[in-house]
Amino acid sequence: MPKILIVEDNEMNRDMLSRRLERRGFEVVMAVDGGVAMVRSELPDLVLMDMGLPVMNGWEATQAIRADTATAHLPVIALTAHSMPGDREKAMETQWSTVSLSVVRASPGGVPTKNPW
């Protein structure tokens, strides 16, 4: 079964994403910070990376993942709820596999809602 690493500091988002993926048969591991150590130790099949992490942000973490020959090949998908002009271009320069700028967010009632932008 494919393993997905979710790197997300928001507990509600981690919970919502992990439950959805596990229901579809994926093995899920999670990290709260940049996740670089988890990427190296777990070698997941896919990394879902929040761009706005508080300690090591997603930009820096992805650059570290790409700089390591053991992890450079792993697909990394950028997640954000706060897309700014130029983020897609910056993400491509950072060698993200793809960027999800229209993010599914958890509403206060726990029901996912699509980003209105």
Side-chain angles (χ1 to χ4, degrees), residues 47-80:
V47 179
L48 299 178
M49 179 76 70
D50 181 10
M51 293 164 58
L53 298 166
V55 178
M56 175 186 273
N57 69 41
W59 305 105
E60 296 164 335
T62 300
Q63 287 175 329
I65 291 166
R66 295 290 179 241
D68 185 335
T69 57
T71 59
H73 68 282
L74 297 173
V76 180
I77 297 176
L79 303 175
T80 183

PDB file of all heavy atoms in Angstrom, residues 47-80:
ATOM      1  N   VAL A  47       4.678  13.060  -0.710  1.00  0.00           N
ATOM      2  CA  VAL A  47       4.695  14.020   0.403  1.00  0.00           C
ATOM      3  C   VAL A  47       3.683  15.114   0.098  1.00  0.00           C
ATOM      4  O   VAL A  47       3.717  15.722  -0.973  1.00  0.00           O
ATOM      5  CB  VAL A  47       6.097  14.644   0.600  1.00  0.00           C
ATOM      6  CG1 VAL A  47       6.081  15.653   1.744  1.00  0.00           C
ATOM      7  CG2 VAL A  47       7.148  13.574   0.823  1.00  0.00           C
ATOM      8  N   LEU A  48       2.760  15.343   1.028  1.00  0.00           N
ATOM      9  CA  LEU A  48       1.841  16.478   0.959  1.00  0.00           C
ATOM     10  C   LEU A  48       2.380  17.518   1.929  1.00  0.00           C
ATOM     11  O   LEU A  48       2.369  17.313   3.147  1.00  0.00           O
ATOM     12  CB  LEU A  48       0.417  16.056   1.348  1.00  0.00           C
ATOM     13  CG  LEU A  48      -0.232  14.997   0.472  1.00  0.00           C
ATOM     14  CD1 LEU A  48      -1.621  14.639   1.012  1.00  0.00           C
ATOM     15  CD2 LEU A  48      -0.325  15.463  -0.968  1.00  0.00           C
ATOM     16  N   MET A  49       2.873  18.628   1.415  1.00  0.00           N
ATOM     17  CA  MET A  49       3.624  19.600   2.207  1.00  0.00           C
ATOM     18  C   MET A  49       2.892  20.929   2.322  1.00  0.00           C
ATOM     19  O   MET A  49       2.643  21.602   1.322  1.00  0.00           O
ATOM     20  CB  MET A  49       4.984  19.828   1.542  1.00  0.00           C
ATOM     21  CG  MET A  49       5.881  20.835   2.213  1.00  0.00           C
ATOM     22  SD  MET A  49       6.664  20.224   3.712  1.00  0.00           S
ATOM     23  CE  MET A  49       7.822  19.037   3.026  1.00  0.00           C
ATOM     24  N   ASP A  50       2.567  21.308   3.558  1.00  0.00           N
ATOM     25  CA  ASP A  50       2.021  22.641   3.813  1.00  0.00           C
ATOM     26  C   ASP A  50       3.133  23.657   3.546  1.00  0.00           C
ATOM     27  O   ASP A  50       4.269  23.467   3.968  1.00  0.00           O
ATOM     28  CB  ASP A  50       1.536  22.727   5.260  1.00  0.00           C
ATOM     29  CG  ASP A  50       0.920  24.059   5.625  1.00  0.00           C
ATOM     30  OD1 ASP A  50       0.672  24.890   4.722  1.00  0.00           O
ATOM     31  OD2 ASP A  50       0.670  24.278   6.819  1.00  0.00           O
ATOM     32  N   MET A  51       2.810  24.718   2.846  1.00  0.00           N
ATOM     33  CA  MET A  51       3.813  25.727   2.523  1.00  0.00           C
ATOM     34  C   MET A  51       4.090  26.665   3.697  1.00  0.00           C
ATOM     35  O   MET A  51       5.176  27.205   3.815  1.00  0.00           O
ATOM     36  CB  MET A  51       3.350  26.546   1.317  1.00  0.00           C
ATOM     37  CG  MET A  51       3.301  25.716   0.051  1.00  0.00           C
ATOM     38  SD  MET A  51       2.354  26.460  -1.292  1.00  0.00           S
ATOM     39  CE  MET A  51       3.159  28.001  -1.551  1.00  0.00           C
ATOM     40  N   GLY A  52       3.097  26.861   4.575  1.00  0.00           N
ATOM     41  CA  GLY A  52       3.224  27.854   5.635  1.00  0.00           C
ATOM     42  C   GLY A  52       3.492  27.272   7.005  1.00  0.00           C
ATOM     43  O   GLY A  52       2.805  27.603   7.963  1.00  0.00           O
ATOM     44  N   LEU A  53       4.503  26.426   7.133  1.00  0.00           N
ATOM     45  CA  LEU A  53       4.837  25.831   8.424  1.00  0.00           C
ATOM     46  C   LEU A  53       5.622  26.820   9.275  1.00  0.00           C
ATOM     47  O   LEU A  53       6.384  27.633   8.752  1.00  0.00           O
ATOM     48  CB  LEU A  53       5.659  24.557   8.203  1.00  0.00           C
ATOM     49  CG  LEU A  53       4.934  23.458   7.424  1.00  0.00           C
ATOM     50  CD1 LEU A  53       5.933  22.399   6.960  1.00  0.00           C
ATOM     51  CD2 LEU A  53       3.839  22.848   8.259  1.00  0.00           C
ATOM     52  N   PRO A  54       5.490  26.743  10.615  1.00  0.00           N
ATOM     53  CA  PRO A  54       6.096  27.753  11.476  1.00  0.00           C
ATOM     54  C   PRO A  54       7.604  27.616  11.708  1.00  0.00           C
ATOM     55  O   PRO A  54       8.289  28.615  11.864  1.00  0.00           O
ATOM     56  CB  PRO A  54       5.346  27.586  12.797  1.00  0.00           C
ATOM     57  CG  PRO A  54       4.887  26.169  12.787  1.00  0.00           C
ATOM     58  CD  PRO A  54       4.615  25.837  11.347  1.00  0.00           C
ATOM     59  N   VAL A  55       8.164  26.409  11.722  1.00  0.00           N
ATOM     60  CA  VAL A  55       9.583  26.241  12.055  1.00  0.00           C
ATOM     61  C   VAL A  55      10.416  26.253  10.779  1.00  0.00           C
ATOM     62  O   VAL A  55      11.131  27.201  10.506  1.00  0.00           O
ATOM     63  CB  VAL A  55       9.810  24.939  12.862  1.00  0.00           C
ATOM     64  CG1 VAL A  55      11.294  24.749  13.174  1.00  0.00           C
ATOM     65  CG2 VAL A  55       8.993  24.967  14.148  1.00  0.00           C
ATOM     66  N   MET A  56      10.320  25.195   9.992  1.00  0.00           N
ATOM     67  CA  MET A  56      10.932  25.154   8.668  1.00  0.00           C
ATOM     68  C   MET A  56       9.779  25.145   7.686  1.00  0.00           C
ATOM     69  O   MET A  56       9.007  24.188   7.654  1.00  0.00           O
ATOM     70  CB  MET A  56      11.788  23.896   8.491  1.00  0.00           C
ATOM     71  CG  MET A  56      12.343  23.753   7.083  1.00  0.00           C
ATOM     72  SD  MET A  56      13.226  22.199   6.786  1.00  0.00           S
ATOM     73  CE  MET A  56      14.844  22.655   7.337  1.00  0.00           C
ATOM     74  N   ASN A  57       9.627  26.209   6.906  1.00  0.00           N
ATOM     75  CA  ASN A  57       8.465  26.281   6.020  1.00  0.00           C
ATOM     76  C   ASN A  57       8.581  25.270   4.871  1.00  0.00           C
ATOM     77  O   ASN A  57       9.624  24.658   4.659  1.00  0.00           O
ATOM     78  CB  ASN A  57       8.219  27.708   5.526  1.00  0.00           C
ATOM     79  CG  ASN A  57       9.275  28.206   4.570  1.00  0.00           C
ATOM     80  OD1 ASN A  57       9.748  27.481   3.700  1.00  0.00           O
ATOM     81  ND2 ASN A  57       9.653  29.463   4.729  1.00  0.00           N
ATOM     82  N   GLY A  58       7.497  25.088   4.164  1.00  0.00           N
ATOM     83  CA  GLY A  58       7.445  24.107   3.098  1.00  0.00           C
ATOM     84  C   GLY A  58       8.426  24.370   1.973  1.00  0.00           C
ATOM     85  O   GLY A  58       8.924  23.438   1.335  1.00  0.00           O
ATOM     86  N   TRP A  59       8.700  25.649   1.706  1.00  0.00           N
ATOM     87  CA  TRP A  59       9.675  26.001   0.667  1.00  0.00           C
ATOM     88  C   TRP A  59      11.053  25.456   1.056  1.00  0.00           C
ATOM     89  O   TRP A  59      11.727  24.804   0.255  1.00  0.00           O
ATOM     90  CB  TRP A  59       9.768  27.517   0.492  1.00  0.00           C
ATOM     91  CG  TRP A  59       8.473  28.191   0.204  1.00  0.00           C
ATOM     92  CD1 TRP A  59       7.736  28.947   1.077  1.00  0.00           C
ATOM     93  CD2 TRP A  59       7.736  28.172  -1.026  1.00  0.00           C
ATOM     94  NE1 TRP A  59       6.598  29.399   0.447  1.00  0.00           N
ATOM     95  CE2 TRP A  59       6.569  28.936  -0.841  1.00  0.00           C
ATOM     96  CE3 TRP A  59       7.953  27.586  -2.268  1.00  0.00           C
ATOM     97  CZ2 TRP A  59       5.632  29.135  -1.840  1.00  0.00           C
ATOM     98  CZ3 TRP A  59       7.015  27.782  -3.266  1.00  0.00           C
ATOM     99  CH2 TRP A  59       5.870  28.547  -3.044  1.00  0.00           C
ATOM    100  N   GLU A  60      11.475  25.763   2.290  1.00  0.00           N
ATOM    101  CA  GLU A  60      12.791  25.331   2.772  1.00  0.00           C
ATOM    102  C   GLU A  60      12.868  23.808   2.873  1.00  0.00           C
ATOM    103  O   GLU A  60      13.885  23.207   2.508  1.00  0.00           O
ATOM    104  CB  GLU A  60      13.072  25.951   4.143  1.00  0.00           C
ATOM    105  CG  GLU A  60      13.162  27.447   4.124  1.00  0.00           C
ATOM    106  CD  GLU A  60      13.043  28.073   5.510  1.00  0.00           C
ATOM    107  OE1 GLU A  60      12.450  27.465   6.413  1.00  0.00           O
ATOM    108  OE2 GLU A  60      13.557  29.195   5.660  1.00  0.00           O
ATOM    109  N   ALA A  61      11.799  23.186   3.368  1.00  0.00           N
ATOM    110  CA  ALA A  61      11.786  21.733   3.514  1.00  0.00           C
ATOM    111  C   ALA A  61      11.909  21.050   2.157  1.00  0.00           C
ATOM    112  O   ALA A  61      12.665  20.080   2.006  1.00  0.00           O
ATOM    113  CB  ALA A  61      10.506  21.295   4.219  1.00  0.00           C
ATOM    114  N   THR A  62      11.200  21.553   1.155  1.00  0.00           N
ATOM    115  CA  THR A  62      11.274  20.945  -0.168  1.00  0.00           C
ATOM    116  C   THR A  62      12.654  21.128  -0.777  1.00  0.00           C
ATOM    117  O   THR A  62      13.181  20.209  -1.420  1.00  0.00           O
ATOM    118  CB  THR A  62      10.183  21.517  -1.086  1.00  0.00           C
ATOM    119  OG1 THR A  62       8.914  21.224  -0.497  1.00  0.00           O
ATOM    120  CG2 THR A  62      10.234  20.905  -2.481  1.00  0.00           C
ATOM    121  N   GLN A  63      13.274  22.268  -0.554  1.00  0.00           N
ATOM    122  CA  GLN A  63      14.642  22.465  -1.044  1.00  0.00           C
ATOM    123  C   GLN A  63      15.591  21.457  -0.395  1.00  0.00           C
ATOM    124  O   GLN A  63      16.467  20.903  -1.070  1.00  0.00           O
ATOM    125  CB  GLN A  63      15.101  23.895  -0.784  1.00  0.00           C
ATOM    126  CG  GLN A  63      14.424  24.893  -1.699  1.00  0.00           C
ATOM    127  CD  GLN A  63      14.772  26.330  -1.387  1.00  0.00           C
ATOM    128  OE1 GLN A  63      15.034  26.683  -0.236  1.00  0.00           O
ATOM    129  NE2 GLN A  63      14.759  27.173  -2.399  1.00  0.00           N
ATOM    130  N   ALA A  64      15.408  21.189   0.910  1.00  0.00           N
ATOM    131  CA  ALA A  64      16.248  20.204   1.603  1.00  0.00           C
ATOM    132  C   ALA A  64      15.990  18.792   1.067  1.00  0.00           C
ATOM    133  O   ALA A  64      16.924  18.001   0.891  1.00  0.00           O
ATOM    134  CB  ALA A  64      15.990  20.261   3.105  1.00  0.00           C
ATOM    135  N   ILE A  65      14.729  18.476   0.793  1.00  0.00           N
ATOM    136  CA  ILE A  65      14.378  17.161   0.227  1.00  0.00           C
ATOM    137  C   ILE A  65      15.021  16.998  -1.147  1.00  0.00           C
ATOM    138  O   ILE A  65      15.575  15.948  -1.475  1.00  0.00           O
ATOM    139  CB  ILE A  65      12.843  17.002   0.158  1.00  0.00           C
ATOM    140  CG1 ILE A  65      12.264  16.886   1.573  1.00  0.00           C
ATOM    141  CG2 ILE A  65      12.451  15.798  -0.692  1.00  0.00           C
ATOM    142  CD1 ILE A  65      10.757  17.072   1.650  1.00  0.00           C
ATOM    143  N   ARG A  66      14.961  18.032  -1.974  1.00  0.00           N
ATOM    144  CA  ARG A  66      15.525  17.986  -3.324  1.00  0.00           C
ATOM    145  C   ARG A  66      17.056  17.933  -3.312  1.00  0.00           C
ATOM    146  O   ARG A  66      17.682  17.398  -4.230  1.00  0.00           O
ATOM    147  CB  ARG A  66      15.067  19.189  -4.148  1.00  0.00           C
ATOM    148  CG  ARG A  66      13.583  19.193  -4.411  1.00  0.00           C
ATOM    149  CD  ARG A  66      13.206  18.081  -5.373  1.00  0.00           C
ATOM    150  NE  ARG A  66      11.776  18.065  -5.606  1.00  0.00           N
ATOM    151  CZ  ARG A  66      10.979  17.035  -5.316  1.00  0.00           C
ATOM    152  NH1 ARG A  66      11.475  15.936  -4.791  1.00  0.00           N
ATOM    153  NH2 ARG A  66       9.693  17.089  -5.559  1.00  0.00           N
ATOM    154  N   ALA A  67      17.685  18.472  -2.274  1.00  0.00           N
ATOM    155  CA  ALA A  67      19.146  18.501  -2.185  1.00  0.00           C
ATOM    156  C   ALA A  67      19.732  17.159  -1.739  1.00  0.00           C
ATOM    157  O   ALA A  67      20.924  16.913  -1.922  1.00  0.00           O
ATOM    158  CB  ALA A  67      19.588  19.599  -1.216  1.00  0.00           C
ATOM    159  N   ASP A  68      18.912  16.275  -1.180  1.00  0.00           N
ATOM    160  CA  ASP A  68      19.361  14.971  -0.678  1.00  0.00           C
ATOM    161  C   ASP A  68      19.141  13.925  -1.773  1.00  0.00           C
ATOM    162  O   ASP A  68      18.009  13.702  -2.209  1.00  0.00           O
ATOM    163  CB  ASP A  68      18.563  14.618   0.574  1.00  0.00           C
ATOM    164  CG  ASP A  68      19.030  13.348   1.252  1.00  0.00           C
ATOM    165  OD1 ASP A  68      19.617  12.478   0.581  1.00  0.00           O
ATOM    166  OD2 ASP A  68      18.780  13.209   2.466  1.00  0.00           O
ATOM    167  N   THR A  69      20.207  13.262  -2.213  1.00  0.00           N
ATOM    168  CA  THR A  69      20.078  12.287  -3.298  1.00  0.00           C
ATOM    169  C   THR A  69      19.158  11.124  -2.933  1.00  0.00           C
ATOM    170  O   THR A  69      18.559  10.519  -3.816  1.00  0.00           O
ATOM    171  CB  THR A  69      21.453  11.734  -3.717  1.00  0.00           C
ATOM    172  OG1 THR A  69      22.094  11.155  -2.579  1.00  0.00           O
ATOM    173  CG2 THR A  69      22.328  12.841  -4.302  1.00  0.00           C
ATOM    174  N   ALA A  70      19.010  10.829  -1.649  1.00  0.00           N
ATOM    175  CA  ALA A  70      18.140   9.728  -1.227  1.00  0.00           C
ATOM    176  C   ALA A  70      16.658  10.087  -1.323  1.00  0.00           C
ATOM    177  O   ALA A  70      15.800   9.202  -1.387  1.00  0.00           O
ATOM    178  CB  ALA A  70      18.475   9.310   0.205  1.00  0.00           C
ATOM    179  N   THR A  71      16.345  11.386  -1.344  1.00  0.00           N
ATOM    180  CA  THR A  71      14.938  11.809  -1.337  1.00  0.00           C
ATOM    181  C   THR A  71      14.561  12.705  -2.508  1.00  0.00           C
ATOM    182  O   THR A  71      13.384  13.028  -2.685  1.00  0.00           O
ATOM    183  CB  THR A  71      14.605  12.553  -0.024  1.00  0.00           C
ATOM    184  OG1 THR A  71      15.456  13.698   0.104  1.00  0.00           O
ATOM    185  CG2 THR A  71      14.784  11.650   1.191  1.00  0.00           C
ATOM    186  N   ALA A  72      15.514  13.108  -3.311  1.00  0.00           N
ATOM    187  CA  ALA A  72      15.271  14.077  -4.389  1.00  0.00           C
ATOM    188  C   ALA A  72      14.211  13.616  -5.381  1.00  0.00           C
ATOM    189  O   ALA A  72      13.522  14.436  -5.979  1.00  0.00           O
ATOM    190  CB  ALA A  72      16.570  14.388  -5.122  1.00  0.00           C
ATOM    191  N   HIS A  73      14.048  12.316  -5.551  1.00  0.00           N
ATOM    192  CA  HIS A  73      13.109  11.767  -6.536  1.00  0.00           C
ATOM    193  C   HIS A  73      11.660  11.743  -6.057  1.00  0.00           C
ATOM    194  O   HIS A  73      10.750  11.542  -6.854  1.00  0.00           O
ATOM    195  CB  HIS A  73      13.525  10.335  -6.880  1.00  0.00           C
ATOM    196  CG  HIS A  73      13.337   9.391  -5.735  1.00  0.00           C
ATOM    197  ND1 HIS A  73      14.225   9.341  -4.668  1.00  0.00           N
ATOM    198  CD2 HIS A  73      12.363   8.498  -5.463  1.00  0.00           C
ATOM    199  CE1 HIS A  73      13.795   8.435  -3.799  1.00  0.00           C
ATOM    200  NE2 HIS A  73      12.670   7.910  -4.258  1.00  0.00           N
ATOM    201  N   LEU A  74      11.439  11.941  -4.758  1.00  0.00           N
ATOM    202  CA  LEU A  74      10.088  11.806  -4.204  1.00  0.00           C
ATOM    203  C   LEU A  74       9.164  12.931  -4.680  1.00  0.00           C
ATOM    204  O   LEU A  74       9.554  14.100  -4.677  1.00  0.00           O
ATOM    205  CB  LEU A  74      10.132  11.815  -2.676  1.00  0.00           C
ATOM    206  CG  LEU A  74      10.889  10.654  -2.032  1.00  0.00           C
ATOM    207  CD1 LEU A  74      10.998  10.865  -0.527  1.00  0.00           C
ATOM    208  CD2 LEU A  74      10.207   9.336  -2.342  1.00  0.00           C
ATOM    209  N   PRO A  75       7.936  12.585  -5.057  1.00  0.00           N
ATOM    210  CA  PRO A  75       6.988  13.638  -5.432  1.00  0.00           C
ATOM    211  C   PRO A  75       6.529  14.417  -4.199  1.00  0.00           C
ATOM    212  O   PRO A  75       6.216  13.822  -3.166  1.00  0.00           O
ATOM    213  CB  PRO A  75       5.825  12.884  -6.075  1.00  0.00           C
ATOM    214  CG  PRO A  75       5.948  11.476  -5.617  1.00  0.00           C
ATOM    215  CD  PRO A  75       7.378  11.243  -5.249  1.00  0.00           C
ATOM    216  N   VAL A  76       6.534  15.736  -4.310  1.00  0.00           N
ATOM    217  CA  VAL A  76       6.088  16.621  -3.230  1.00  0.00           C
ATOM    218  C   VAL A  76       4.993  17.511  -3.796  1.00  0.00           C
ATOM    219  O   VAL A  76       5.196  18.198  -4.796  1.00  0.00           O
ATOM    220  CB  VAL A  76       7.238  17.493  -2.686  1.00  0.00           C
ATOM    221  CG1 VAL A  76       6.739  18.404  -1.574  1.00  0.00           C
ATOM    222  CG2 VAL A  76       8.391  16.622  -2.194  1.00  0.00           C
ATOM    223  N   ILE A  77       3.835  17.482  -3.142  1.00  0.00           N
ATOM    224  CA  ILE A  77       2.716  18.332  -3.543  1.00  0.00           C
ATOM    225  C   ILE A  77       2.561  19.430  -2.499  1.00  0.00           C
ATOM    226  O   ILE A  77       2.420  19.155  -1.310  1.00  0.00           O
ATOM    227  CB  ILE A  77       1.410  17.526  -3.675  1.00  0.00           C
ATOM    228  CG1 ILE A  77       1.560  16.480  -4.783  1.00  0.00           C
ATOM    229  CG2 ILE A  77       0.227  18.465  -3.951  1.00  0.00           C
ATOM    230  CD1 ILE A  77       0.368  15.563  -4.935  1.00  0.00           C
ATOM    231  N   ALA A  78       2.605  20.673  -2.957  1.00  0.00           N
ATOM    232  CA  ALA A  78       2.466  21.824  -2.079  1.00  0.00           C
ATOM    233  C   ALA A  78       0.995  22.055  -1.765  1.00  0.00           C
ATOM    234  O   ALA A  78       0.152  22.026  -2.653  1.00  0.00           O
ATOM    235  CB  ALA A  78       3.050  23.063  -2.738  1.00  0.00           C
ATOM    236  N   LEU A  79       0.699  22.273  -0.485  1.00  0.00           N
ATOM    237  CA  LEU A  79      -0.649  22.602  -0.046  1.00  0.00           C
ATOM    238  C   LEU A  79      -0.636  23.972   0.610  1.00  0.00           C
ATOM    239  O   LEU A  79       0.270  24.280   1.378  1.00  0.00           O
ATOM    240  CB  LEU A  79      -1.143  21.577   0.982  1.00  0.00           C
ATOM    241  CG  LEU A  79      -1.165  20.117   0.558  1.00  0.00           C
ATOM    242  CD1 LEU A  79      -1.568  19.240   1.740  1.00  0.00           C
ATOM    243  CD2 LEU A  79      -2.109  19.919  -0.599  1.00  0.00           C
ATOM    244  N   THR A  80      -1.645  24.776   0.318  1.00  0.00           N
ATOM    245  CA  THR A  80      -1.734  26.071   0.981  1.00  0.00           C
ATOM    246  C   THR A  80      -3.169  26.563   0.992  1.00  0.00           C
ATOM    247  O   THR A  80      -3.939  26.266   0.084  1.00  0.00           O
ATOM    248  CB  THR A  80      -0.836  27.128   0.304  1.00  0.00           C
ATOM    249  OG1 THR A  80      -0.939  28.348   1.053  1.00  0.00           O
ATOM    250  CG2 THR A  80      -1.224  27.375  -1.136  1.00  0.00           C
TER     251      THR A  80
END
